[in-house]
Amino acid sequence: MEPSSTSKVAVTYWDPAALYPLIAPDLKARLPLRNLHWKSPTRPLRSISSLHVDLLPYSPPPTNLASPTPFQSTTELTRVKSTDSARSAEGPAVTRSASRSRGPRKERRHQIPGLRNTPYLKVYILRCDDNDSYKNTQRKLLREWVTTHATTERGDNHDAFEWLILHVVLPGTPAAQQPRSSSSASNPSGGSRWMKGSMTLLDKIRSDFNGSNAKIDRVAQIRIPATHPDLTTLSPPVAVTAPGTTPESPVETETAWLDLVAKLKSQILASFDARVAQYEDDVKERDSQRQLPGWNFCTFFVLKEGLARAFESVGLVEDALVLYDELGFGLEAIVREQEKGELIGGSFITWTREGLFWLEEARKCLLSRKTGDEQPPVDEIDEENPIGSEKKPYRELILSNEISIFDFRCYLFARQATLLLRLGRRNGDHGIAPPKIDDGTPAASNPSELPEVDDLPRLAEVCRRGVEFITTVSRVLRADLVTHKDSTASPSEGEPEKSVSQQELNAIVDNLVASWSYGVCQQLLSQTISVTLPEGLETNTDRGLLPQRRSSLAQPSPSFAQPARSNITGLEEIAAARADMMVLARTILEDVGKRRGWIGREGWFKLHSEEMEEVDLNADENTAKRRKHGQVWLPEGIRHKGLKEAVGDDEGNYYYRQYLELSEKAMKHYGIAKRFKNAERVESDLAALKFHLKEYETAAMHLQRMTIFYEQQGWGLIETTLLGMYAKCLKETQKSEEYVNVLLKLLTKSAALESGRIRRLAGRLDDQDRGVTPQIFSPPGVKPTTVHHVDVLGYVAEALSLSRQLGQEITTPMTNLWSDITVDSYPRHIASKDGFEVTVRLRYLLSEPLAIDRVVVKVVSAMSSQSRELLLESTAGVEMKKGTNRAVVWTNQTMPGSYIAEQMVIYAGKLKFVHEFMRQTTPDSSLLAANTTVQTAAATKKTKLSFFPAPKGLTGRLEMPKSIYLEKMRMVEIVVAVGDNQIINGELRIKSATAGLRLITASLEVVDGKESVTINEENPGTLGLKDVSKGGEIRLRLPYNSDNELSELMIRLEVNYNTIAGSFVFVDTLSVLVALPLAVNVQDIFKHDTLYSKFQVSTASGEVPLRVFTATLKESKHFLTEGGKGTTGNMTVFAKQPANFLYKIKRNKGVTGPPESLALVIEYTNMDEELRQTVATLFETEMKEAGFEEYTHWLLPSLRARFRHRTPAELERAALLEEFENASYDEYGWDEVLEAIDPRAGLREKVETWLKDFFTKHSRVPINRPDVLAMITRSITIPVDVPPLQVIHTVELNLLCDAGSHSLSAPYAPPMVTVGVALPAELIIRHSRNWDTSTEDPTAPMEFTYEVQNNPDTWLVSGRKRAHFAGVHDKVQKFSLVLVPAKSGYLVLPNIDIKPVGKAEGISLETEYKANANIVLVLPDIRSTTVRIDSVFADQLSAGPY
């Protein structure tokens, strides 16, 4: 057995004066040595955090100092460990006797250096009280000691060591009065008589033994304080109160101890460095001789192991582990070479003594049991430590070449595990002995007694290596036992019946290997327990500790609570490694159970075979089981106590309990390691065991999770087996709903087999046509298996029967039982009634028929902007038989548009089978590789269906009214054509489908069909229908308003109506353009008694031309109107060429009261609408003539929707030429529209041919057709208010000149005057209130002011340029002025500005200035003329005129 801590070195001390007890407490307090740093030339710097020291005394304390004989005394060794430094009092010494001899006795050297254990340092503890004693006695003794014990042989560093002299100074002695060094001697206070410059005792010792050129200080000094309690035990005693003694300060004492510790570190490392260098040289030399004859691996192993143990002794465990790993690789290489027949590295024995002993002992027990004799006692293998480096003298066996491969590997693994455990138990160097493989001390079973902090990755490495070691070395052990079992199989001499057969010997060998392997597993598990693992991992429960799945995509998490230290480094790693070890132990236990007959060849999953087997009726149950599996069970050879108890019970209760314990612990560990797949595989075995034990409730809990896990992993065979077990558990526990679900899964597996068979057959047929060999694909990571049948007979009827008793429906994918699910893309109209019917086809994969109640297909709008959906349902039940089945679904709802088949649902009892057409589906992972073709392809092609009303079915449309009144609310008209339906009663609902649109349903007006429509006053927007005859039409006028200006309006129309054929529904979203295409502007010009209004009509919607037929301004009782020419006729209005209409308006003086508005009525058409309607009229007429009336409600709306909007240039060209170029067939994109027509009867081809002919024939379409204009002409009535005007002034500015004046011009010519001539003028202002419609008194005067606005550069004004006047109705006032022209030319008379003042401020006022266009010709007054001529030679001539 090795010591509890192997990070230690031996230090031998000589203590002739028995001074060690004085320094022991302080020395132990400073051990182990800390923070050592070793640097080798061939290795990087190594740091040793802690190094234990074994202080080994060489001699007992002397009894007589006068004649000491320290080197001739009895050697009584007392080992003192540095690990005992934590104890305050020194315990009793452990002694061992040695032979007495005179003089020193040299240790006998071993031939292999690696097997020696010698001290690294030798210390001589010196008592020298004064210089005389040193000179006379002690110096000689020191020299003898150095010569005898501190001198090494040159060239051999295998046992290299250093030596040290430790001078212990006692109080009260002359040495205590000396300073430590002569260089530090001083006498500041006169207390010391030491003369400075004299050599102290310490200096003399250093001078004598260090040498002048010595690089290593081999002398240290420790001074004992006077208060030390053990001073009285010295002989001769010391006078601690001697005069002149100066005690040391604590700092000096601590410095001395630090110096001693530093010397210990440096000299131990120096010894270690020398030894390592020597060992490395030897290892290199031996390794270089590997190819030479006679090279022996065992010798090389022991030598290199010596280097490893040297590293281990100083705490460099990782370096030691590397060397052991290298030795392990070397051993493997030697074994492989020897297996090839090459004799390299020496020989190993081919058997193991213990193994042969076990085999012979088991054989004797078997023979005793056969003969009935008393069986000899059998010793079980040590459960705690089946392997260990001290179990047998491995090193001696290695050195003598008498070791087997089995023992060699066991020893090597034991050493590696020891080092790993030392690294894993980090505080093993702090006085706590870690559990060890090669130690006989059992590992602590209570986790609270273990170290608080462990290196978990190192412990995990122990388990990982242990798994590999057990699996490998167990085969080696089996080979050893099998090789030598033949010698024990021969019959007894003279008694041939008392023998052991080969089959029985094989069973014994299996038992021996299982016992050894199981024991090693248990040992490693017990020695890798760590307190850092969460609590509860070692406790047993009866439930799985796996995460509860919420979805197949969610990351699972353990169901038990994680500890607060879940972020510990290596926690997951150690948990996973221990779990693997537990699974290995469980596998060993399972193999024993198989041979015992408790487990089948497939493990706990016993598949029922269809083959017939012979059964021995005379044999018992266990014997029958063993014969069934072709194995013989014997209890002999089971040496492990726990394993023997497990298999000793015939009922297997203890075996099952132990199996459950290992399984549950492994599950918990895998959960901590987040290796949930491994945990679930373990749980599957646990579930099968519970099922085997008929614990159905617990088994069902486990099987529920396991079936999901293996389904996701693609293990169809195991999943199907688990499903069968799960179904039985649910049936036994009477859980009907879960039982039905599991039955459906089993039916799914059977259907998957059939689907795979069909796909393989189809693949072979296709490949035969192409000459390609078909391939079968398996899911990733799944090996191909062969299962040809899943027995589900009666499951369909049982599932259907049980489902009817459930309270809620069970939903499952339809693809589980059906394949090739399709919906016909071409709905059919039903004769004599509205609605549609569609055929669905699907392949039923089961052999047992299934009676379904109904089939429902849901289709949704193909436009993402619309949220329409339509349900089609079968009218009767259908019996599904194996193969292709058909069903017809129909709907009474008419919702025009394009739809996509989204979902199909089949109802059978409470079973609901759903198929999603629009989802990206992956076929179910089936049972076999053949039927598990994993298709991660694109989504299934969408099935598109187009629904449109029948030619004579009920339809609806939305129109703008023919007459539009701007003074009223905006309105639209809803037209419902009932077609050939004789409506008995029904209901019509109107809803807004445009954001911000408000329908004024309370003001809804029935225009046509009043006798058949009843307005619901309580529920606006809902109308009742009654007795609407065939071909009838209902027209409704609906006012509306909106928050913003709308260009297009959409209304949802719902009609529920009943006919003699049944109840039907029509739902459609109707739309119409409501933006007005024209804009009208007006300009008013007021006269004294007449108002002239000019109306300008222009395009409003872009640059779309208009046709204006009439424009009429209707008079009212207050105003009379008169229109000019051009207000009637066909007039085309362009964007840049508006139409102007002028009207004269007069006041009807005989009428009083508030004035009424005039009305401007314009009849117009939109050119874009005219083009579209012209093409639609031609299209509809010729389509009916061609016999395609059935598609009127599909093709005609498609034509309108695809009619291309023309550019402004094209519209202007069409308006001028009265014809336009129609788009071609390809430009309309009819291919997409024609997809809604069934091509199977050739009808699509006929329609396509007709369409192409139509667009070829009508490439140019004439417009301005009377029938089209009659349909689209609309009138708009615009209210025109006469602006309220209270006062109008008529102003005249007349020039007053004499009749015979020369300045007067001819008639009708502008007056001519000269510049600067004063012209008299008269300003005439007429005040009128003809246009005032207010009730105020017209005779009441109003204050006004006028102002002549002139430019001084043009006119000079004299007179009353600005004046106030009072205005009375029809009163004329005159004012005199003088105007003087300031420049020549045609001058406009000054302007007159009139403003109200006083109380009249704020009234509406207009001024008619009649002189606004009058001009005056002003001529210059020519009396003389001055002419100046400038010359280009002006600089040479005199300036000035000439």
Side-chain angles (χ1 to χ4, degrees):
M1 293 175 58
E2 292 185 359
S4 61
S5 179
T6 56
S7 291
K8 54 187 175 297
V9 294
V11 175
T12 304
Y13 66 89
W14 276 256
D15 188 15
L19 298 179
Y20 179 76
L22 299 179
I23 63 173
D26 291 332
L27 183 59
K28 291 177 182 179
R30 289 164 175 81
L31 295 179
L33 302 178
R34 308 281 183 181
N35 301 325
L36 288 82
H37 304 287
W38 173 63
K39 179 66 176 70
S40 173
T42 60
R43 299 175 184 271
L45 178 66
R46 294 288 192 267
S47 296
I48 305 172
S49 60
S50 175
L51 178 62
H52 293 276
V53 177
D54 272 357
L55 297 174
L56 306 177
Y58 185 79
S59 62
T63 57
N64 186 9
L65 292 179
S67 57
T69 57
F71 309 123
Q72 301 177 3
S73 60
T74 301
T75 305
E76 208 165 38
L77 301 179
T78 304
R79 177 173 296 229
V80 180
K81 301 180 182 179
S82 63
T83 53
D84 298 335
S85 59
R87 302 184 180 94
S88 58
E90 198 170 347
V94 179
T95 62
R96 56 181 179 140
S97 300
S99 60
R100 299 177 179 270
S101 62
R102 295 181 62 84
R105 181 172 57 88
K106 295 181 65 66
E107 179 185 2
R108 178 183 178 184
R109 294 188 57 183
H110 199 284
Q111 60 176 337
I112 301 299
L115 298 179
R116 294 197 298 267
N117 184 17
T118 57
Y120 281 69
L121 178 63
K122 296 181 179 181
V123 181
Y124 187 89
I125 303 177
L126 173 65
R127 174 178 179 178
C128 186
D129 297 338
D130 51 29
N131 292 348
D132 293 338
S133 175
Y134 172 73
K135 181 178 179 180
N136 297 329
T137 307
Q138 300 300 329
R139 181 165 54 185
K140 180 180 179 181
L141 293 176
L142 285 176
R143 286 176 177 173
E144 290 179 0
W145 177 80
V146 171
T147 302
T148 305
H149 299 281
T151 304
T152 59
E153 299 180 4
R154 294 185 177 181
D156 184 10
N157 288 328
H158 294 101
D159 298 329
F161 63 89
E162 290 292 336
W163 54 275
L164 178 68
I165 299 175
L166 178 60
H167 180 208
V168 179
V169 179
L170 300 177
T173 61
Q177 301 178 11
Q178 299 180 7
R180 291 185 178 274
S181 175
S182 58
S183 60
S184 61
S186 61
N187 189 18
S189 59
S192 174
R193 297 191 302 270
W194 186 256
M195 299 298 295
K196 185 174 183 181
S198 300
M199 183 174 291
T200 63
L201 182 58
L202 180 61
D203 290 339
K204 289 182 179 181
I205 299 174
R206 286 176 176 170
S207 176
D208 292 339
F209 294 95
N210 284 345
S212 59
N213 298 325
K215 298 181 180 180
I216 302 177
D217 185 7
R218 303 180 184 276
V219 181
Q221 187 182 82
I222 295 296
R223 300 197 176 201
I224 305 300
T227 58
H228 200 288
D230 295 335
L231 288 175
T232 58
T233 62
L234 294 178
S235 177
V238 181
V240 297
T241 59
T245 301
T246 303
E248 280 190 324
S249 65
V251 175
E252 292 175 335
T253 302
E254 184 63 25
T255 302
W257 279 108
L258 292 177
D259 178 68
L260 175 60
V261 172
K263 287 181 172 60
L264 292 176
K265 289 197 237 181
S266 62
Q267 296 193 19
I268 289 175
L269 289 179
S271 303
F272 173 72
D273 186 68
R275 293 190 183 194
V276 169
Q278 182 68 52
Y279 275 111
E280 287 180 340
D281 293 340
D282 293 345
V283 170
K284 289 179 182 179
E285 180 182 0
R286 294 294 180 91
D287 193 33
S288 64
Q289 301 172 358
R290 184 182 293 268
Q291 301 299 329
L292 297 179
W295 184 84
N296 188 276
F297 176 77
C298 293
T299 305
F300 175 77
F301 178 89
V302 174
L303 182 64
K304 194 168 184 177
E305 189 189 18
L307 178 60
R309 286 182 174 264
F311 282 121
E312 184 183 5
S313 65
V314 297
L316 298 178
V317 182
E318 293 183 353
D319 294 80
L321 182 61
V322 170
L323 294 177
Y324 275 110
D325 291 341
E326 293 175 357
L327 290 173
F329 296 146
L331 177 62
E332 293 294 336
I334 293 297
V335 171
R336 285 196 300 268
E337 294 295 334
Q338 291 187 359
E339 289 177 352
K340 296 178 182 179
E342 300 181 9
L343 297 178
I344 299 177
S347 61
F348 303 99
I349 63 175
T350 59
W351 44 271
T352 303
R353 292 186 178 90
E354 288 78 3
L356 296 182
F357 171 75
W358 298 339
L359 188 61
E360 179 63 23
E361 192 176 46
R363 189 188 68 83
K364 292 180 180 179
C365 291
L366 178 59
L367 292 175
S368 300
R369 184 167 59 86
K370 284 184 176 182
T371 59
D373 298 337
E374 184 178 356
Q375 296 185 10
V378 179
D379 296 333
E380 287 83 5
I381 296 177
D382 186 359
E383 288 190 66
E384 298 294 341
N385 301 297
I387 60 173
S389 60
E390 299 296 332
K391 297 291 290 186
K392 60 175 68 176
Y394 287 110
R395 302 184 72 190
E396 286 75 6
L397 294 175
I398 294 173
L399 190 60
S400 61
N401 288 334
E402 295 180 356
I403 190 169
S404 64
I405 299 297
F406 173 76
D407 286 337
F408 212 141
R409 288 183 172 174
C410 287
Y411 173 71
L412 189 59
F413 173 75
R415 293 296 304 140
Q416 292 172 335
T418 299
L419 299 179
L420 286 172
L421 284 173
R422 286 199 55 208
L423 293 173
R425 308 297 186 181
R426 287 181 174 174
N427 57 355
D429 291 340
H430 294 274
I432 300 177
K436 300 179 60 56
I437 287 181
D438 49 3
D439 195 337
T441 305
S445 59
N446 186 4
S448 62
E449 300 174 1
L450 295 175
E452 295 183 359
V453 179
D454 292 331
D455 189 350
L456 298 183
R458 297 292 187 179
L459 298 180
E461 182 68 18
V462 174
C463 291
R464 279 196 297 268
R465 294 193 181 198
V467 171
E468 183 179 358
F469 166 75
I470 294 171
T471 54
T472 303
V473 179
S474 62
R475 291 194 293 266
V476 176
L477 177 61
R478 181 182 298 276
D480 289 351
L481 296 176
V482 170
T483 302
H484 297 85
K485 69 181 176 62
D486 296 336
S487 60
T488 62
S490 58
S492 301
E493 185 175 337
E495 297 180 355
E497 70 282 357
K498 297 181 180 180
S499 62
V500 179
S501 65
Q502 289 291 338
Q503 194 174 14
E504 292 172 335
L505 283 177
N506 291 334
I508 292 175
V509 170
D510 292 338
N511 291 342
L512 291 174
V513 175
S515 299
W516 180 84
S517 302
Y518 191 77
V520 176
C521 290
Q522 295 296 331
Q523 174 186 353
L524 295 179
L525 287 174
S526 65
Q527 294 180 340
T528 53
I529 296 176
S530 175
V531 293
T532 52
L533 288 172
E535 296 180 2
L537 285 184
E538 299 301 321
T539 58
N540 300 327
T541 60
D542 197 27
R543 61 183 181 88
L545 296 175
L546 294 178
Q548 300 293 338
R549 294 185 178 273
R550 298 180 180 176
S551 68
S552 61
L553 300 178
Q555 178 67 27
S557 57
S559 60
F560 53 84
Q562 290 288 351
R565 297 175 291 177
S566 60
N567 59 346
I568 297 176
T569 303
L571 179 61
E572 296 180 5
E573 193 174 356
I574 180 62
R578 285 176 56 81
D580 292 339
M581 181 66 69
M582 294 173 184
V583 170
L584 177 59
R586 198 193 66 158
T587 303
I588 298 170
L589 192 64
E590 187 174 331
D591 291 339
V592 175
K594 290 179 181 179
R595 291 187 284 107
R596 188 73 167 84
W598 291 332
I599 306 177
R601 287 172 297 177
E602 299 85 5
W604 298 108
F605 305 98
K606 298 181 181 180
L607 297 176
H608 300 284
S609 176
E610 297 180 355
E611 300 179 358
M612 304 294 292
E613 296 183 357
E614 295 184 0
V615 178
D616 187 1
L617 300 179
N618 297 324
D620 58 357
E621 182 180 358
N622 292 332
T623 304
K625 289 181 180 179
R626 291 192 293 271
R627 289 180 179 177
K628 179 180 178 181
H629 298 294
Q631 295 178 345
V632 175
W633 165 251
L634 296 174
E636 285 74 20
I638 300 294
R639 300 178 58 82
H640 190 275
K641 181 179 179 182
L643 194 60
K644 181 179 292 187
E645 293 177 355
V647 299
D649 184 9
D650 292 337
E651 299 297 330
N653 296 328
Y654 187 83
Y655 174 84
Y656 295 138
R657 184 164 60 251
Q658 197 165 356
Y659 187 91
L660 290 174
E661 177 183 350
L662 286 173
S663 299
E664 292 174 358
K665 287 182 179 180
M667 287 164 53
K668 294 179 183 180
H669 282 76
Y670 277 135
I672 291 293
K674 298 181 181 179
R675 289 172 54 177
F676 300 115
K677 291 183 179 180
N678 299 74
E680 287 170 327
R681 291 189 180 98
V682 174
E683 189 178 14
S684 64
D685 296 334
L686 186 61
L689 176 58
K690 292 293 185 180
F691 179 82
H692 176 74
L693 299 177
K694 296 184 180 181
E695 298 179 10
Y696 296 117
E697 189 74 27
T698 307
M701 179 186 65
H702 294 297
L703 289 169
Q704 180 183 9
R705 291 192 294 267
M706 292 304 97
T707 53
I708 298 175
F709 167 71
Y710 283 106
E711 179 183 7
Q712 294 174 348
Q713 299 301 314
W715 293 86
L717 176 63
I718 300 179
E719 181 198 357
T720 305
T721 305
L722 293 175
L723 283 175
M725 299 164 58
Y726 187 32
K728 184 176 180 180
C729 292
L730 295 175
K731 186 175 182 180
E732 294 293 336
T733 55
Q734 298 181 355
K735 296 181 179 180
S736 301
E737 183 174 354
E738 292 85 349
Y739 180 49
V740 172
N741 284 322
V742 175
L743 291 181
L744 291 176
K745 286 188 177 182
L746 288 171
L747 293 174
T748 299
K749 298 302 173 184
S750 178
L753 285 172
E754 177 66 16
S755 177
R757 185 189 66 81
I758 295 173
R759 287 199 298 270
R760 290 196 302 272
L761 180 61
R764 285 197 297 267
L765 294 177
D766 294 341
D767 293 336
Q768 289 174 3
D769 296 338
R770 298 192 301 266
V772 180
T773 303
Q775 295 181 355
I776 298 175
F777 299 95
S778 302
V782 179
K783 297 181 180 179
T785 56
T786 303
V787 175
H788 304 285
H789 178 67
V790 177
D791 188 9
V792 293
L793 184 61
Y795 282 4
V796 173
E798 187 172 6
L800 186 60
S801 175
L802 289 176
S803 69
R804 299 184 186 277
Q805 304 173 8
L806 301 178
Q808 58 183 2
E809 293 180 341
I810 297 178
T811 303
T812 187
M814 191 184 300
T815 52
N816 290 351
L817 305 183
W818 285 271
S819 65
D820 302 333
I821 305 170
T822 59
V823 177
D824 193 357
S825 300
Y826 310 105
R828 301 182 300 274
H829 292 111
I830 305 174
S832 71
K833 64 179 181 180
D834 291 349
F836 310 92
E837 64 179 14
V838 177
T839 302
V840 297
R841 295 177 179 84
L842 62 168
R843 182 188 297 274
Y844 183 58
L845 300 172
L846 298 179
S847 301
E848 186 177 358
L850 172 62
I852 64 174
D853 300 332
R854 55 194 173 102
V855 181
V856 178
V857 176
K858 183 174 78 171
V859 296
V860 296
S861 177
M863 301 177 62
S864 59
S865 59
Q866 298 180 357
S867 59
R868 292 182 178 180
E869 67 176 36
L870 194 61
L871 296 180
L872 296 91
E873 187 174 346
S874 61
T875 56
V878 181
E879 184 178 13
M880 291 289 170
K881 297 182 179 180
K882 187 174 183 179
T884 303
N885 296 265
R886 297 184 180 182
V888 177
V889 293
W890 86 288
T891 179
N892 63 345
Q893 301 181 22
T894 301
M895 300 174 64
S898 296
Y899 292 82
I900 296 175
E902 181 186 52
Q903 186 185 75
M904 180 188 295
V905 182
I906 291 179
Y907 295 91
K910 291 296 183 64
L911 301 179
K912 179 181 178 182
F913 301 92
V914 181
H915 178 64
E916 302 289 345
F917 291 98
M918 298 179 61
R919 290 184 179 177
Q920 187 172 5
T921 57
T922 301
D924 179 56
S925 298
S926 58
L927 188 61
L928 306 177
N931 60 15
T932 52
T933 304
V934 178
Q935 299 179 356
T936 55
T940 308
K941 183 179 179 181
K942 297 178 181 179
T943 303
K944 188 175 182 180
L945 302 91
S946 299
F947 294 98
F948 51 91
K952 297 182 180 179
L954 186 143
T955 58
R957 63 181 185 271
L958 191 63
E959 298 178 351
M960 284 287 292
K962 291 292 184 180
S963 299
I964 302 173
Y965 299 91
L966 290 186
E967 75 275 10
K968 299 180 181 179
M969 296 185 66
R970 300 291 297 275
M971 296 186 180
V972 292
E973 291 184 353
I974 302 173
V975 181
V976 179
V978 299
D980 285 346
N981 291 289
Q982 180 71 37
I983 298 179
I984 300 175
N985 54 50
E987 189 178 61
L988 185 148
R989 288 188 292 273
I990 303 170
K991 297 180 181 179
S992 171
T994 302
L997 174 66
R998 291 186 294 272
L999 302 178
I1000 314 301
T1001 54
S1003 302
L1004 186 143
E1005 177 185 359
V1006 181
V1007 179
D1008 297 332
K1010 295 182 179 180
E1011 65 280 358
S1012 302
V1013 178
T1014 303
I1015 299 178
N1016 190 344
E1017 300 293 343
E1018 297 180 357
N1019 190 5
T1022 303
L1023 292 81
L1025 304 178
K1026 184 177 182 181
D1027 298 334
V1028 183
S1029 60
K1030 293 183 179 181
E1033 185 176 272
I1034 299 173
R1035 182 179 294 270
L1036 307 175
R1037 187 170 296 165
L1038 178 64
Y1040 71 92
N1041 57 32
S1042 61
D1043 298 333
N1044 47 18
E1045 191 67 23
L1046 298 177
S1047 60
E1048 185 179 13
L1049 183 144
M1050 290 188 293
I1051 294 178
R1052 178 181 174 88
L1053 176 65
E1054 299 181 10
V1055 182
N1056 297 321
Y1057 56 98
N1058 300 318
T1059 66
I1060 57 176
S1063 300
F1064 302 93
V1065 178
F1066 175 85
V1067 180
D1068 196 8
T1069 300
L1070 311 177
S1071 64
V1072 66
L1073 296 175
V1074 295
L1076 294 177
L1078 54 81
V1080 179
N1081 294 322
V1082 61
Q1083 181 181 1
D1084 295 326
I1085 301 174
F1086 281 93
K1087 298 295 181 178
H1088 178 68
D1089 56 356
T1090 304
L1091 171 63
Y1092 294 93
S1093 295
K1094 183 177 72 172
F1095 295 91
Q1096 185 183 69
V1097 180
S1098 60
T1099 61
S1101 56
E1103 298 181 355
V1104 180
L1106 302 173
R1107 291 184 187 273
V1108 178
F1109 299 103
T1110 61
T1112 305
L1113 185 62
K1114 295 183 179 181
E1115 61 184 19
S1116 65
K1117 66 178 182 178
H1118 290 84
F1119 300 98
L1120 303 177
T1121 62
E1122 181 180 353
K1125 295 182 179 181
T1127 57
T1128 59
N1130 191 338
M1131 181 183 304
T1132 304
V1133 178
F1134 298 95
K1136 297 180 181 179
Q1137 188 179 349
N1140 296 315
F1141 302 97
L1142 182 63
Y1143 296 93
K1144 183 170 69 174
I1145 303 172
K1146 289 189 175 182
R1147 177 77 179 272
N1148 192 350
K1149 298 181 180 179
V1151 180
T1152 59
E1156 295 181 357
S1157 300
L1158 304 176
L1160 178 64
V1161 181
I1162 301 175
E1163 292 184 355
Y1164 68 95
T1165 59
N1166 184 352
M1167 186 60 64
D1168 186 57
E1169 185 181 5
E1170 182 180 351
L1171 300 184
R1172 184 180 289 104
Q1173 185 62 37
T1174 301
V1175 175
T1177 302
L1178 285 173
F1179 188 85
E1180 184 177 6
T1181 301
E1182 296 191 12
M1183 182 174 56
K1184 291 181 179 179
E1185 293 175 356
F1188 301 130
E1189 185 180 3
E1190 179 182 359
Y1191 302 103
T1192 300
H1193 295 305
W1194 177 249
L1195 297 179
L1196 189 58
S1198 300
L1199 174 74
R1200 293 182 181 275
R1202 285 167 170 76
F1203 186 83
R1204 180 175 60 85
H1205 290 280
R1206 266 50 182 178
T1207 62
E1210 291 176 333
L1211 293 174
E1212 290 182 1
R1213 188 182 303 113
L1216 294 174
L1217 301 178
E1218 293 191 348
E1219 67 175 9
F1220 69 97
E1221 295 182 1
N1222 193 13
S1224 65
Y1225 171 87
D1226 295 330
E1227 291 176 340
Y1228 271 91
W1230 285 104
D1231 293 339
E1232 183 181 357
V1233 179
L1234 292 177
E1235 291 181 357
I1237 301 177
D1238 192 353
R1240 288 171 289 195
L1243 190 58
R1244 179 188 293 181
E1245 184 178 357
K1246 294 179 182 179
V1247 175
E1248 182 180 1
T1249 303
W1250 175 81
L1251 285 172
K1252 292 180 178 179
D1253 294 341
F1254 174 82
F1255 286 100
T1256 302
K1257 176 182 177 181
H1258 298 285
S1259 60
R1260 300 187 68 86
V1261 180
I1263 59 175
N1264 201 9
R1265 295 177 49 174
D1267 57 338
V1268 174
L1269 295 177
M1271 288 188 290
I1272 64 175
T1273 299
R1274 292 182 176 84
S1275 67
I1276 182 171
T1277 301
I1278 304 173
V1280 179
D1281 293 329
V1282 176
L1285 183 64
Q1286 293 177 278
V1287 176
I1288 181 172
H1289 290 102
T1290 303
V1291 180
E1292 298 180 12
L1293 182 61
N1294 299 324
L1295 296 178
L1296 302 178
C1297 300
D1298 296 337
S1301 174
H1302 66 277
S1303 62
L1304 296 178
S1305 61
Y1308 309 110
M1312 292 185 296
V1313 295
T1314 59
V1315 177
V1317 177
L1319 301 177
E1322 184 181 30
L1323 177 63
I1324 303 174
I1325 300 176
R1326 174 180 293 178
H1327 179 88
S1328 176
R1329 302 181 188 178
N1330 288 333
W1331 297 101
D1332 186 10
T1333 58
S1334 63
T1335 58
E1336 295 181 1
D1337 185 8
T1339 60
M1342 296 182 181
E1343 292 294 328
F1344 297 91
T1345 178
Y1346 75 87
E1347 180 181 1
V1348 179
Q1349 297 178 342
N1350 66 302
N1351 186 355
D1353 295 335
T1354 304
W1355 293 97
L1356 299 177
V1357 179
S1358 176
R1360 299 184 64 182
K1361 182 179 179 182
R1362 184 183 300 106
H1364 286 262
F1365 66 91
V1368 181
H1369 180 60
D1370 285 340
K1371 180 180 179 181
V1372 178
Q1373 300 184 48
K1374 298 181 179 180
F1375 303 92
S1376 298
L1377 298 174
V1378 176
L1379 302 179
V1380 179
K1383 66 177 183 178
S1384 60
Y1386 289 96
L1387 303 181
V1388 179
L1389 293 178
N1391 188 30
I1392 307 299
D1393 182 28
I1394 300 177
K1395 295 181 180 180
V1397 296
K1399 295 181 179 180
E1401 289 184 358
I1403 66 173
S1404 57
L1405 173 67
E1406 287 285 342
T1407 301
E1408 180 188 359
Y1409 185 38
K1410 291 186 176 183
N1412 195 28
N1414 293 344
I1415 60 175
V1416 177
L1417 178 59
V1418 180
L1419 300 176
D1421 186 7
I1422 302 175
R1423 300 290 180 91
S1424 62
T1425 301
T1426 301
V1427 178
R1428 178 184 176 88
I1429 301 176
D1430 294 332
S1431 173
V1432 295
F1433 305 101
D1435 57 344
Q1436 300 176 5
L1437 302 176
S1438 57
Y1442 60 92

